[in-house]
């Protein structure tokens, strides 16, 4: 299992800087996902590691060995694309044994490798089928098996589930993680699907405009993101600006521009600081006797399976979103109702107000 290390990797396309001084380490056996807006540089990053492109600056190391100029075929990687790239004229067996065959392995050497991979992805009974006879999910599993029969220790996945429907994607992502862990591989998974990244990764890397903004365990990125962009990009959040009017220990009191004062658990802000408060919709309660009460009028109610998404317009025009489980009280809320929202102090994050303005900081491009 290789450790992969990038040091100040930069890649330019004319005036566009796709990767801008990226430094990142993938530990042995780690499953890391990279997410970010379209054009943030995540696909360029994985292509730099693969050797499909060469960085203009910086170094890439596999287990301490510099590989910048090493050809892709000599890097010992398995690469899986978004577009299912199987050979249409070959059966599943032909596709899966292609890598060992071009490496010069004999049929006797190839057979146990291929059987092992097909059994692991549970496609052994379809080994004689051709790609056009398979479901999209089975095709992509075959593509993964083909990447792994080369005995690669580093698996690179470039939007591998993007072409699949929702249910197939959900099933296959758990299979991917199982394969990586069972085979003791190191994996880098690039995706635009946040839920996918959060559910399968040991660590998630967030990129914006060619740079790494933040990285961490999925639960940490979701519940305690270190910066506003991550709070906005990973999941959904409400943002309300204000000023710290009291700071004591780990608690601050923020007077919102909307008028009310709310208490939050934060320790880095001082009295008089202009700040932005952030909180997830699922942590917003619809109740009149809770703490940190915000009053407003319901402007939209959206039922989505077991949850109700309620958009509330506060007195000065700010919109706050609450997500409630579908129960009797939530089902009785209608557009035009005046309601009171409540947010627990421990669920409110507080950030310094960005110098360039809140809108610019939250922008996805």
């Amino acid at each position: 299992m290789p450790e992969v290390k990038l040091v100040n990797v930069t890649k330019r396309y004319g005036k566009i800087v796709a990767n801008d001084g990226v430094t990142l380490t993938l530990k042995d056996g780690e499953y890391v996902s990279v997410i970010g807006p379209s054009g943030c540089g995540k696909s360029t990053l994985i292509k730099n590691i693969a050797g499909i492109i060469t960085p203009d600056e910086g170094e890439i190391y596999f287990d301490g060995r510099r590989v910048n100029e090493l050809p892709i075929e000599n890097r010992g990687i398995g690469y899986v694309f978004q577009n299912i790239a199987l050979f249409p004229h070959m059966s599943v067996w032909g596709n899966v044994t292609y890598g060992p065959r071009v490496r010069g392995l004999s049929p006797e050497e190839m057979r146990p490798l291929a059987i092992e991979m097909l059994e692991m992805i549970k496609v052994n009974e379809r080994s004689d089928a051709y790609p056009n006879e398979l479901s999209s999910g089975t095709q992509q599993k075959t593509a993964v098996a083909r990447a792994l029969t080369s005995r690669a220790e580093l698996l690179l996945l470039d939007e591998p589930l993007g072409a699949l429907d929702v249910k197939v994607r959900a099933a296959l992502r758990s299979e991917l993680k199982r394969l990586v862990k069972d085979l003791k591989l190191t994996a880098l998974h690039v995706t635009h699907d946040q839920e996918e990244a959060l559910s399968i990764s040991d660590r998630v890397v967030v990129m914006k405009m060619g740079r790494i903004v933040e990285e961490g365990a999925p639960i940490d990125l979701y519940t305690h993101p270190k910066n506003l962009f991550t709070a906005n990009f990973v999941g959904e959040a409400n943002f309300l600006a204000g000023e710290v009017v009291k700071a004591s220990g780990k608690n601050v009191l923020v007077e919102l521009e909307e008028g009310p004062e709310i208490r939050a658990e934060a320790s880095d802000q001082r009295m008089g600081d202009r700040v932005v408060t952030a909180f997830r919709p699922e942590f917003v309660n619809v109740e009149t006797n809770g703490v940190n009460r915000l009053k407003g009028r319901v402007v939209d109610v959206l039922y989505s399976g077991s949850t109700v998404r309620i958009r509330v317009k506060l007195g000065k025009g700010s919109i706050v979103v609450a997500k409630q489980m579908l129960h009797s009280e939530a089902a009785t809320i209608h557009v035009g109702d005046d309601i009171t929202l409540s947010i627990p102090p421990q669920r409110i994050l507080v950030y310094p107000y960005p110098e360039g303005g809140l809108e610019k900081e939250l922008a996805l491009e």
Side-chain angles (χ1 to χ4, degrees):
M1 296 179 290
E3 177 184 84
V4 180
K5 188 173 183 179
L6 286 75
V7 182
N8 295 323
V9 169
T10 296
K11 182 64 182 179
R12 302 182 184 88
Y13 296 101
K15 295 182 180 180
I16 298 174
V17 184
N19 285 167
D20 188 1
V22 174
T23 295
L24 176 68
T25 298
L26 310 181
K27 299 174 184 177
D28 286 354
E30 193 177 25
Y31 199 122
V32 177
S33 290
V34 182
I35 60 175
S38 297
C40 71
K42 53 187 184 291
S43 288
T44 299
L45 177 67
I46 199 171
K47 288 174 182 176
N48 272 316
I49 295 172
I52 296 173
I53 59 177
T54 302
D56 298 313
E57 299 171 16
E59 283 75 44
I60 301 173
Y61 299 94
F62 287 5
D63 281 338
R65 177 192 179 194
R66 188 177 182 274
V67 298
N68 285 47
E69 288 79 31
L70 190 68
I72 185 173
E73 62 270 20
N74 295 331
R75 296 198 180 196
I77 64 169
Y79 199 105
V80 180
F81 299 87
Q82 175 179 359
N83 297 323
I84 302 169
L86 295 176
F87 297 115
H89 61 287
M90 292 184 184
S91 65
V92 168
W93 182 264
N95 271 280
V96 171
T97 57
Y98 176 79
R101 192 162 60 249
V102 298
R103 285 169 46 221
L105 270 67
S106 67
E108 292 75 19
E109 293 171 308
M110 288 189 296
R111 184 175 178 79
L113 286 175
I115 291 175
E116 179 187 7
M117 286 302 112
L118 290 174
E119 287 179 346
M120 288 195 77
I121 65 169
K122 302 174 184 177
V123 185
N124 46 312
E125 294 183 359
R126 303 299 308 277
S127 62
D128 294 333
Y130 286 83
N132 65 348
E133 300 172 328
L134 305 173
S135 67
S136 56
T138 303
Q139 288 181 41
Q140 194 62 301
K141 286 201 285 186
T142 302
V144 172
R146 184 178 62 183
L148 296 177
T149 49
S150 63
R151 285 305 193 201
E153 294 184 329
L154 173 62
L155 183 61
L156 302 177
L157 302 140
D158 193 356
E159 304 266 14
L161 310 180
L164 308 178
D165 63 48
V166 175
K167 286 191 175 181
V168 174
R169 228 171 29 233
L172 190 49
R173 66 192 182 203
S174 60
E175 286 290 302
L176 274 176
K177 180 154 189 182
R178 180 185 62 81
L179 279 171
V180 168
K181 294 303 180 181
D182 285 352
L183 295 173
K184 296 181 171 57
L185 306 176
T186 302
L188 183 68
H189 183 134
V190 165
T191 179
H192 64 276
D193 188 327
Q194 298 172 24
E195 182 180 342
E196 181 177 303
L198 294 172
S199 64
I200 63 176
S201 307
D202 300 315
R203 181 159 50 103
V204 176
V205 175
V206 182
M207 293 189 69
K208 179 184 181 183
M209 299 180 66
R211 297 181 178 181
I212 293 176
V213 175
E214 188 171 345
E215 57 183 286
I219 186 67
D220 294 332
L221 284 186
Y222 190 82
T223 58
H224 292 93
K226 295 177 182 177
N227 62 68
L228 278 168
F229 178 79
T230 305
N232 183 48
F233 185 76
V234 178
E236 183 180 9
N238 298 292
F239 299 96
L240 295 174
E243 180 180 318
V244 176
V245 294
K246 186 178 180 180
S248 176
K250 294 184 178 181
N251 296 303
V252 295
L253 190 65
V254 178
E255 183 179 352
L256 300 175
E257 292 179 357
E258 277 288 340
E261 293 180 346
I262 61 173
R263 183 167 58 86
E265 293 184 359
S267 57
D268 296 331
Q269 285 73 35
R270 299 178 180 178
M271 187 172 174
D273 286 351
R274 194 178 182 202
V275 296
V276 177
T277 63
F279 45 93
R280 302 288 185 191
E282 58 267 34
F283 300 145
V284 180
N285 302 312
V286 179
E287 57 184 6
T288 58
N289 57 355
V291 296
N292 294 332
R293 293 188 294 273
L294 302 175
K295 295 182 179 180
R297 179 163 294 178
V298 177
V299 294
D300 189 34
V301 179
L302 177 64
Y303 296 94
S304 177
S306 61
T307 61
V308 183
R309 188 174 186 271
I310 306 162
R311 295 178 72 242
V312 179
K313 186 176 183 179
L314 304 183
K316 293 185 179 180
S318 297
I319 298 294
V320 170
V321 177
K323 285 184 181 177
Q324 302 285 295
M325 295 301 294
L326 183 58
H327 50 65
S328 57
E329 293 180 8
T332 61
I333 296 173
H334 302 94
V335 173
D337 288 351
D338 291 323
I339 65 172
T340 299
L341 306 175
S342 173
I343 311 102
Q346 67 272 24
R347 296 300 190 180
I348 299 176
L349 304 170
V350 183
Y351 301 95
Y353 194 90
E355 292 182 4
L358 183 58
E359 185 176 347
K360 181 179 180 181
E361 184 68 20
L362 299 181
L364 299 182
E365 296 183 357

